[in-house]
Every structure is written in structure tokens, then in C-alpha cells.
Amino acid sequence: MVEQIVITIVDMVKKLRWQLLFAVLFGLVCSGVGVGYTHLSTDKEYSYTAKTELLFLEGKNSKQSFKENLEKQGLNILGVVSTYKDMIVSDGVLSGVAAEYYGNESASSIQKIRNKTTIANVEGSMVLTIKTSANSSKDASVLAQLLVKSFKDKVNDLTGMKNIQVNSKYKIYKYNTKKQSAILMIGLFFGGMALWVMIALAIIIYKENYEG
């Protein structure tokens, strides 16, 4: 069994020959491109993410839930929460954040805020999780606070409702971008090699079986 495996591997290496060198070179190229992109998108050793949870209620001291109130109005909870989720990253909300964070409301500044922001919702729940990323814990926290304030102000202006409460405030998570780059580099190197080898083997097998 082991002997057969060894024979198969040796035969495979003989068939590939110089393709193995090309596979290594292709893996290095993939690795270099991936790491280069990472360094261009992150200019510091660490990145920070502030995580915030927003809870929707009928009122600050009300026992009636946001869901129950919507059902009385004939509205669907999933639809409303989904609308709020989209609203958080809308130009109307992000323009206010950009004005405070960057000092202007240009389209590029709004897009930068949008790129730094991730919104998630557990299906069927009344909780939205907001994650804002920056190159310092202070900037990540400030960005989260500005985003929540702008969102709450926009909802209040449009609906007159003050039913959004911060359930969990601005927890900061630290990520080592150099470590992530190293993992990415190794993964892309071996992934690129494997891809080249598989394509080369497929071509060799095809030629042997159909052109031989």
C-alpha cells in the first residue's frame, strides 16, 4: 500500500518535471499580490474594531416590545429591522458621520465610512450588531458613537420614534494585521501551487488519454 503510494508520487513528479518550478513561482506571485494588497489597505500593524449592539424597543420604560408594537400596526418585524439595517449605511446617515469624522460630506468620505462599517442581524431578532474598524481603538470607538447617534437622529426625524437603545457599548477588538498577512501569504502560496499543479496534471492526463 505504502509502496504503491510512493510509486504514484514519483511517477507524478516525473510527469510534472519543470511544472513544479512553475507552480512554486505561481505560488510566490499569488502570495506577493495578496500581501501587497493587504499592506495597501492597512497602514498600521494593528487594526481595531468597535462592536455595538442596538436593541429596538417601544420605549425606554415600556414593557411592550418593539415587535409587539409593530404587530399591532400590521407591520412585519423582519422587514422593519431589515430597513433599519440598510438605513445605517445609507448616505443620509453616513453623511452626518463623515462630516464629524472627516470634516466633510463628500462621496469619497461617505464611502470610506461605509467600507469601515459592517452590519449584522440575527434572523428574527430585534438586535442589530454594528462593527466599525479603524487604525486605533479611539477612532473605532468614536466612529461607532457617531454612527449610532446619526442613525438614531435620522430615525427620530423620519418617524418621531425614540425606540432604539444601545444594548452593548463599543467593545473594542484588536487584530494583528501582520499576523493576518503572514497567514494570508502562506495560504496563497500553497493555494497557488496546488492550483498550478492540478491544472498541469489535468493537461498531462488529457494528452496521455486523448492525444496519445
Side-chain angles (χ1 to χ4, degrees), residues 14 69 125 137 184 195 197:
K14 287 180 178 179
N69 181 58
S125 75
S137 57
L184 178 66
L195 178 62
V197 168

PDB file of all heavy atoms in Angstrom, residues 14 69 125 137 184 195 197:
ATOM      1  N   LYS A  14       7.691  12.904 -11.945  1.00  0.00           N
ATOM      2  CA  LYS A  14       8.340  12.743 -13.250  1.00  0.00           C
ATOM      3  C   LYS A  14       7.508  13.390 -14.348  1.00  0.00           C
ATOM      4  O   LYS A  14       8.043  13.998 -15.284  1.00  0.00           O
ATOM      5  CB  LYS A  14       8.546  11.268 -13.559  1.00  0.00           C
ATOM      6  CG  LYS A  14       9.655  10.617 -12.736  1.00  0.00           C
ATOM      7  CD  LYS A  14       9.800   9.136 -13.106  1.00  0.00           C
ATOM      8  CE  LYS A  14      10.929   8.482 -12.321  1.00  0.00           C
ATOM      9  NZ  LYS A  14      11.065   7.032 -12.642  1.00  0.00           N
ATOM     10  N   ASN A  69     -45.429  46.022  19.217  1.00  0.00           N
ATOM     11  CA  ASN A  69     -45.964  47.275  18.708  1.00  0.00           C
ATOM     12  C   ASN A  69     -46.118  47.239  17.193  1.00  0.00           C
ATOM     13  O   ASN A  69     -47.122  47.713  16.644  1.00  0.00           O
ATOM     14  CB  ASN A  69     -45.030  48.428  19.102  1.00  0.00           C
ATOM     15  CG  ASN A  69     -45.539  49.776  18.623  1.00  0.00           C
ATOM     16  OD1 ASN A  69     -46.625  50.183  18.958  1.00  0.00           O
ATOM     17  ND2 ASN A  69     -44.732  50.449  17.833  1.00  0.00           N
ATOM     18  N   SER A 125     -34.629  38.472  15.251  1.00  0.00           N
ATOM     19  CA  SER A 125     -34.366  39.218  16.484  1.00  0.00           C
ATOM     20  C   SER A 125     -34.553  40.717  16.255  1.00  0.00           C
ATOM     21  O   SER A 125     -34.663  41.192  15.127  1.00  0.00           O
ATOM     22  CB  SER A 125     -32.949  38.966  16.991  1.00  0.00           C
ATOM     23  OG  SER A 125     -32.011  39.667  16.201  1.00  0.00           O
ATOM     24  N   SER A 137      -7.937  52.257  18.586  1.00  0.00           N
ATOM     25  CA  SER A 137      -9.123  51.930  19.367  1.00  0.00           C
ATOM     26  C   SER A 137     -10.004  53.169  19.560  1.00  0.00           C
ATOM     27  O   SER A 137     -11.231  53.079  19.558  1.00  0.00           O
ATOM     28  CB  SER A 137      -8.725  51.347  20.724  1.00  0.00           C
ATOM     29  OG  SER A 137      -7.893  52.244  21.436  1.00  0.00           O
ATOM     30  N   LEU A 184      -2.136  34.858   5.417  1.00  0.00           N
ATOM     31  CA  LEU A 184      -2.613  35.021   4.043  1.00  0.00           C
ATOM     32  C   LEU A 184      -1.525  34.653   3.045  1.00  0.00           C
ATOM     33  O   LEU A 184      -1.782  33.970   2.042  1.00  0.00           O
ATOM     34  CB  LEU A 184      -3.061  36.472   3.825  1.00  0.00           C
ATOM     35  CG  LEU A 184      -3.538  36.835   2.416  1.00  0.00           C
ATOM     36  CD1 LEU A 184      -4.818  36.076   2.088  1.00  0.00           C
ATOM     37  CD2 LEU A 184      -3.769  38.332   2.296  1.00  0.00           C
ATOM     38  N   LEU A 195      -3.086  24.912  -7.230  1.00  0.00           N
ATOM     39  CA  LEU A 195      -3.882  25.204  -8.424  1.00  0.00           C
ATOM     40  C   LEU A 195      -3.087  24.926  -9.693  1.00  0.00           C
ATOM     41  O   LEU A 195      -3.589  24.300 -10.633  1.00  0.00           O
ATOM     42  CB  LEU A 195      -4.333  26.672  -8.396  1.00  0.00           C
ATOM     43  CG  LEU A 195      -5.137  27.155  -9.606  1.00  0.00           C
ATOM     44  CD1 LEU A 195      -6.434  26.364  -9.721  1.00  0.00           C
ATOM     45  CD2 LEU A 195      -5.422  28.652  -9.488  1.00  0.00           C
ATOM     46  N   VAL A 197      -0.456  22.945 -10.053  1.00  0.00           N
ATOM     47  CA  VAL A 197      -0.192  21.508 -10.171  1.00  0.00           C
ATOM     48  C   VAL A 197      -1.422  20.773 -10.697  1.00  0.00           C
ATOM     49  O   VAL A 197      -1.315  19.899 -11.572  1.00  0.00           O
ATOM     50  CB  VAL A 197       0.244  20.913  -8.811  1.00  0.00           C
ATOM     51  CG1 VAL A 197       0.233  19.388  -8.852  1.00  0.00           C
ATOM     52  CG2 VAL A 197       1.645  21.409  -8.447  1.00  0.00           C
TER      53      VAL A 197
END
